[in-house]
Amino acid sequence: MTTHLALENVSKNFGDFVAVRDFNLEVERGEFVSFLGPSGCGKTTTLRMIAGFEMPSTGKITINGNDITNNPPNQRNVGMVFQSYALFPNMTVAQNIGFGLRVRKEKEADIKDRVNEMLATIHMENKANSYPYQLSGGQMQRVALARALAIRPEVLLLDEPLSALDAKIRVSLRAEIRSIQQKLGITAIYVTHDQEEALSLSDRIVVMNVGEMEQVGSPFEVYNFPTTRFVANFVGSLNTAEAEIVDPGKGILNMDGIQLLSSNVLKDKSKGDKVTIAIRPERLSFLAEGKKENVFDGKVENITFLGSVVRVEVTIGTRKFKMDTFNRPSLNLPNIGDAIKATCSDKAVLILKD
Amino acid sequence: MNFLTRLRRFPFWAWFWFILGALYFILPLYATFSFSLSWDPADPFKAYERSFGDSRFWNSFLYSNMLALATILASIILVVPTAYWIRLRLPQARRIVEFLTLMPFVVPAIILVFGMIRIYSTPFTIPFTDIVLMQPLTNFRAGTNILIVAGYMVLSMPYMYRSVDTGMRTVDIRTLTEAAQSLGANWFTIITRVILPNIRSALLSGALLTFAIVVGEVVLASFLGVSAFGPYLFLLGQHRAYEPAALSFVSFLLTWLAMGLIQLVSGGQGQAAGAH
């Protein structure tokens, strides 16, 4: 695999405000990378810098090793899908899809073939002569995707393309986007604030916060091994608590007088250091027989059914923890107010960087 | 539903004000039309026949139409890119430009034409020399036409700019521009193939308002000494009784026809472009 798209030390300032700070990323050909973060974290600004709609204040952007930092947007061969679809209202579906090819002055026969090919890809052959206002939101976004792909872009950029759609369409369309991207082997950058979208679509996720990259990794890594408190809190649900290191070699911690064991690295820490620990709710469970480590006495405070999952809130020591367990008919749940014993493996106790 | 219930639900006051307003507009028009037919009871349309039979009417009317078309074209070339750029890149300048476009309402046309005559009735020379670059624009026909079209552009600016700006407000100009750019389009392609088609009913509104202003305009045409329709109608009104009434009625009909055209286009697919 070779680097297809690279951002080197890219920063963007708007006056005194730093929107993106020192952003470094290498994306391989055919990779699907998501920028995930809350509003104002700089993810859309970074995407717009790749598209050429914003110029970086510092740094360099390359595609296939060619520096495109100062190229205007129409000379980058980058396809873009917008949240608001941005279909040309005066053109039919077929004309929208063929627009980029006509701008490139390709032969009319080739344009027709390519438009038909794209219509087949998005399963909308029967809508070729419809105008955008005659389409549903999902259909419009599929046309926008086809239009962006028709020009055979080097990189496909998607700026929260599913945000304006309802939940069911969102799920089906994101599967379609992923399937088309994999089929065409196109490099894609996807901006979203929806962790579920990022986790389900991406090869890699870049979690961003206040203009900086917090963590880059596969969905599995980002979810299971968040390296910072922000990532841990933003991606998925999480229990966090302050703890004191008792024995860094053995990974022993003390949380409000309760002993915890963590298999995660504590090498750079010393005895007495304060750290933030994190445990995913699904990694906590009711005590099975025979376990001696990481066993906590708790009291059930609340029970919530979330469909396939049941969330139990328990007080352990002075802190409230969430426990998620799969819902099944044989599930034997405690009652509110019951005393229980909860446990987790030493791998589940994460140590966060602040 | 009995009669009394129906009567209670009848929007009496709404209809009252509507009919009163309609009468306010229709009665003078009817009076003008009626007067125009009263020249010769044996030939009610005599005023119309005389008016249409006068070659000066046709010459001035066609000339004013040509001026109107030139003004519309020049205004579109000036206003569309300006309004587009302000919406896209200079939103902070919008208030200033809006204020400037309102100046024709504040500064009367007589001031404008005197300013034009004062500046353009002397030859253009290289500063501090007597070398003449160009004869005064008011001294030759083409120059006068340029001056009058420029003057009409100023007079129609409030209508044209507002129409175009309103049209652009209904379309997501920024995102459409970015979408077109990402597909490889340059500025010319974006304006001609994406922006203009999506504001065409707004353009038509501005164009028809400009047309109405130019065709009936008197002050600029009189002082610049051109044989336009406005001064012709004005002179006719001073010397004749029935023909001006006939021509006024025809002008009303033309205006209404134009408004009908706007309705037809904007009610159909015209604004479909942006509205959705």
Side-chain angles (χ1 to χ4, degrees):
Chain A
M1 291 283 224
T2 53
T3 300
H4 188 200
L5 168 72
L7 290 94
E8 295 171 31
N9 304 316
V10 171
S11 297
K12 178 69 185 175
N13 305 335
F14 294 105
D16 293 337
F17 175 70
V18 183
V20 179
R21 191 194 304 270
D22 210 19
F23 193 97
N24 286 284
L25 182 71
E26 290 189 351
V27 182
E28 289 171 355
R29 187 175 288 279
E31 199 177 9
F32 196 115
V33 176
S34 290
F35 294 170
L36 175 67
S39 297
C41 72
K43 56 190 189 298
T44 297
T45 306
T46 310
L47 191 85
R48 289 174 62 80
M49 286 194 281
I50 300 170
F53 301 136
E54 303 287 353
M55 287 293 149
S57 305
T58 57
K60 193 165 97 168
I61 301 171
T62 61
I63 292 180
N64 285 331
N66 300 318
D67 188 347
I68 59 154
T69 315
N70 297 312
N71 288 11
N74 59 344
Q75 286 169 25
R76 294 190 175 207
N77 199 26
V78 166
M80 180 122 173
V81 178
F82 298 83
Q83 184 183 343
S84 58
Y85 322 128
L87 294 182
F88 306 128
N90 56 313
M91 298 181 200
T92 63
V93 166
Q95 287 167 341
N96 262 286
I97 296 174
F99 180 85
L101 304 169
R102 287 203 172 81
V103 165
R104 284 166 168 72
K105 295 189 171 31
E106 292 195 14
K107 287 180 191 158
E108 206 52 43
D110 294 344
I111 294 173
K112 202 176 165 191
D113 289 347
R114 182 70 178 155
V115 168
N116 288 336
E117 187 189 327
M118 294 319 302
L119 282 169
T121 305
I122 57 167
H123 313 294
M124 282 182 62
E125 295 95 326
N126 58 343
K127 296 282 183 186
N129 296 317
S130 301
Y131 281 89
Y133 71 87
Q134 296 170 312
L135 306 176
S136 67
Q139 288 174 325
M140 281 199 267
Q141 203 54 294
R142 274 149 70 196
V143 175
L145 179 66
R147 182 180 66 176
L149 291 170
I151 58 170
R152 295 182 180 87
E154 286 285 345
V155 180
L156 177 67
L157 306 176
L158 303 109
D159 186 9
E160 307 206 32
L162 307 179
S163 303
L165 304 172
D166 64 58
K168 265 197 164 176
I169 303 280
R170 228 164 32 216
V171 172
S172 69
L173 194 52
R174 81 178 179 217
E176 202 170 332
I177 288 173
R178 179 60 163 156
S179 149
I180 291 170
Q181 181 266 337
Q182 284 179 323
K183 191 173 135 195
L184 300 178
I186 194 162
T187 308
I189 307 289
Y190 190 97
V191 161
T192 183
H193 60 263
D194 183 330
Q195 46 160 310
E196 195 183 310
E197 253 173 50
L199 291 169
S200 63
L201 278 169
S202 321
D203 292 315
R204 272 193 302 160
I205 297 174
V206 178
V207 186
M208 294 180 70
N209 184 30
V210 289
E212 290 187 40
M213 299 166 90
E214 286 274 338
Q215 187 174 352
V216 183
S218 68
F220 185 84
E221 287 166 348
V222 168
Y223 187 83
N224 289 312
F225 307 108
T227 54
T228 67
R229 181 197 284 263
F230 174 80
V231 176
N233 277 315
F234 191 76
V235 182
S237 191
L238 200 78
N239 300 299
T240 55
E242 304 304 317
E244 189 183 306
I245 293 174
V246 177
D247 185 342
K250 291 179 180 167
I252 300 170
L253 302 121
N254 183 321
M255 180 189 76
D256 301 340
I258 301 165
Q259 187 170 296
L260 279 168
L261 200 62
S262 172
S263 66
N264 292 291
V265 182
L266 297 175
K267 278 177 192 164
D268 56 340
K269 302 287 181 190
S270 317
K271 187 179 175 185
D273 281 356
K274 304 277 186 203
V275 291
T276 303
I277 61 147
I279 307 170
R280 293 273 180 214
E282 67 272 19
R283 305 292 296 273
L284 277 169
S285 59
F286 296 111
L287 180 63
E289 291 299 315
K291 202 159 186 305
K292 287 177 187 168
E293 287 144 0
N294 286 350
V295 174
F296 319 113
D297 288 317
K299 185 184 160 198
V300 177
E301 297 289 344
N302 197 15
I303 299 173
T304 315
F305 282 94
L306 302 170
S308 59
V309 168
V310 180
R311 174 160 291 176
V312 182
E313 283 178 43
V314 294
T315 305
I316 296 172
T318 57
R319 297 170 192 275
K320 276 193 178 171
F321 280 74
K322 288 171 280 195
M323 292 172 63
D324 285 351
T325 181
F326 277 116
N327 186 12
R328 57 186 186 278
S330 59
L331 187 64
N332 190 15
L333 283 170
N335 296 312
I336 294 171
D338 282 0
I340 52 114
K341 281 189 185 296
T343 187
C344 69
S345 75
D346 55 354
K347 285 181 191 146
V349 181
L350 307 170
I351 313 293
L352 301 178
K353 279 189 270 179
D354 279 321
Chain B
M1 197 185 290
N2 62 34
F3 176 75
L4 274 175
T5 316
R6 277 190 195 177
L7 196 68
R8 250 180 251 129
R9 289 193 176 181
F10 181 76
F12 174 79
W13 285 109
W15 277 101
F16 173 77
W17 290 115
F18 172 73
I19 291 168
L20 196 71
L23 285 176
Y24 182 81
F25 286 105
I26 290 168
L27 278 179
L29 192 62
Y30 172 75
T32 308
F33 179 60
S34 174
F35 180 70
S36 73
L37 299 178
S38 60
W39 187 356
D40 183 355
D43 181 7
F45 290 99
K46 188 175 175 181
Y48 293 88
E49 286 162 16
R50 281 283 183 92
S51 299
F52 294 144
D54 185 354
S55 64
R56 285 175 304 167
F57 161 73
W58 288 111
N59 289 340
S60 61
F61 188 67
L62 286 176
Y63 178 61
S64 282
N65 275 282
M66 294 294 287
L67 288 180
L69 286 177
T71 308
I72 289 165
L73 201 67
S75 293
I76 288 173
I77 291 170
L78 178 73
V79 169
V80 172
T82 307
Y84 173 62
W85 203 250
I86 285 167
R87 282 217 157 258
L88 196 67
R89 293 286 156 87
L90 282 172
Q92 65 273 27
R94 218 169 126 231
R95 285 182 182 279
I96 298 166
V97 175
E98 274 185 2
F99 174 75
L100 286 177
T101 61
L102 288 177
M103 289 310 280
F105 289 146
V106 183
V107 182
I110 190 86
I111 305 281
L112 175 69
V113 75
F114 269 103
M116 285 171 117
I117 290 169
R118 185 175 165 76
I119 290 174
Y120 296 107
S121 62
T122 50
F124 288 97
T125 54
I126 294 175
F128 311 113
T129 68
D130 294 329
I131 301 166
V132 175
L133 286 176
M134 197 168 72
Q135 289 302 315
L137 283 175
T138 49
N139 280 14
F140 57 103
R141 184 76 186 261
T144 310
N145 286 341
I146 290 170
L147 274 185
I148 199 162
V149 167
Y152 286 159
M153 280 172 70
V154 174
L155 293 186
S156 62
M157 188 76 85
Y159 308 100
M160 186 56 103
Y161 182 81
R162 254 142 229 282
S163 297
V164 170
D165 194 50
T166 307
M168 286 189 181
R169 199 177 300 161
T170 63
V171 189
D172 187 355
I173 290 290
R174 180 181 290 272
T175 316
L176 288 185
T177 301
E178 289 179 352
Q181 280 182 311
S182 72
L183 293 165
N186 57 28
W187 290 114
F188 182 76
T189 308
I190 294 169
I191 289 183
T192 54
R193 288 171 64 180
V194 177
I195 305 301
L196 279 179
N198 284 314
I199 58 163
R200 63 172 178 251
S201 82
L203 272 182
L204 194 66
S205 302
L208 290 174
L209 286 167
T210 304
F211 187 86
I213 290 166
V214 173
V215 169
E217 204 281 331
V218 178
V219 178
L220 256 71
S222 301
F223 280 91
L224 288 171
V226 295
S227 318
F229 186 60
Y232 169 74
L233 207 59
F234 180 71
L235 280 175
L236 206 65
Q238 287 186 324
H239 303 292
R240 305 274 175 82
Y242 299 99
E243 283 119 311
L247 288 177
S248 297
F249 184 70
V250 169
S251 298
F252 261 107
L253 285 187
L254 278 175
T255 312
W256 282 17
L257 187 75
M259 286 170 73
L261 268 176
I262 296 177
Q263 279 294 328
L264 198 71
V265 174
S266 53
Q269 59 171 354
Q271 201 57 39
H276 299 278

